[in-house]
Amino acid sequence: MFRGESRNKVDGKGRMSIPAKFRRVLEAGDPDWKSGENPNLVIVYGGKTRDFLECFTVEAMNDVVARIMKMPRGSKKRLALSKLYLTQSLEVSVDETGRLVLPKEQRDKIGLESMAFFGGKGDTFEIWNPETYDATQEEALEADDDFDPDADPSIYLDGDEDF
């Protein structure tokens, strides 16, 4: 499972080190990975509404694709999900030093320059421009009827609610 956060440098060629604990998850989630080799992952960059990159293990993406393929061919949901997870994605490999080389188009899309924020999300992890991440997280946690942003979030783990 992808847990934790990290801020890592990005060089001029788009190379950045993937957190070591994330690399172990990528290895475990790549059915073709063997010790001494480099794991693969799938990066979903999405359309104009996404200002982050969502990274999946090969197995996790295979699960997503299988669920999409069960939807009726030609349905709007299948078309939208196919575009996001199949068209607007790329498969990449971690290099021998544990780095990811991110193409310029994807770096430009999210405004990635000298630093990248890696955030674990359980079955995926996200790559953000650190400033965008910080600003977006503040906006996302506004109060509503069921949520108080000033409370300790652990109060929502009472076990009485269905997630």
Side-chain angles (χ1 to χ4, degrees):
M1 189 164 284
F2 296 107
R3 291 189 177 118
E5 62 183 58
S6 179
R7 291 174 191 255
N8 295 350
K9 290 183 181 180
V10 179
D11 73 11
K13 295 181 181 179
R15 295 178 295 209
M16 63 194 87
S17 181
I18 297 176
K21 56 190 167 190
F22 288 9
R23 291 195 303 266
R24 302 295 82 82
V25 178
L26 292 171
E27 291 167 356
D30 182 350
D32 296 327
W33 179 80
K34 294 176 186 78
S35 183
E37 293 184 359
N38 304 321
N40 293 313
L41 67 145
V42 178
I43 300 175
V44 176
Y45 52 86
K48 60 185 173 204
T49 60
R50 283 200 168 206
D51 46 7
F52 63 93
L53 306 175
E54 187 176 21
C55 303
F56 290 77
T57 67
V58 172
E59 286 179 347
M61 182 52 73
N62 288 344
D63 178 58
V64 169
V65 171
R67 293 177 12 217
I68 293 169
M69 293 301 130
K70 288 180 182 177
M71 295 177 165
R73 188 177 296 275
S75 74
K76 289 181 181 179
K77 288 180 181 177
R78 180 173 171 165
L79 291 171
L81 289 168
S82 293
K83 180 178 180 183
L84 176 63
Y85 291 106
L86 297 169
T87 305
Q88 296 173 326
S89 67
L90 58 129
E91 189 167 329
V92 297
S93 234
V94 177
D95 74 12
E96 57 279 343
T97 63
R99 295 181 303 183
L100 171 67
V101 180
L102 199 58
K104 184 174 181 354
E105 294 81 17
Q106 280 68 44
R107 292 192 320 265
D108 290 348
K109 181 182 184 306
I110 64 169
L112 209 57
E113 294 175 0
S114 61
M115 291 294 288
F117 174 85
F118 290 79
K121 297 292 182 182
D123 60 343
T124 65
F125 69 90
E126 296 173 348
I127 302 174
W128 290 78
N129 170 310
E131 291 81 21
T132 304
Y133 176 81
D134 292 340
T136 303
Q137 298 312 299
E138 289 298 318
E139 292 170 10
L141 295 179
E142 294 179 1
D144 64 23
D145 292 340
D146 296 326
F147 181 74
D148 178 358
D150 296 323
D152 182 334
S154 65
I155 66 170
Y156 300 113
L157 284 177
D158 61 12
D160 293 337
E161 297 179 46
D162 290 332
F163 294 99

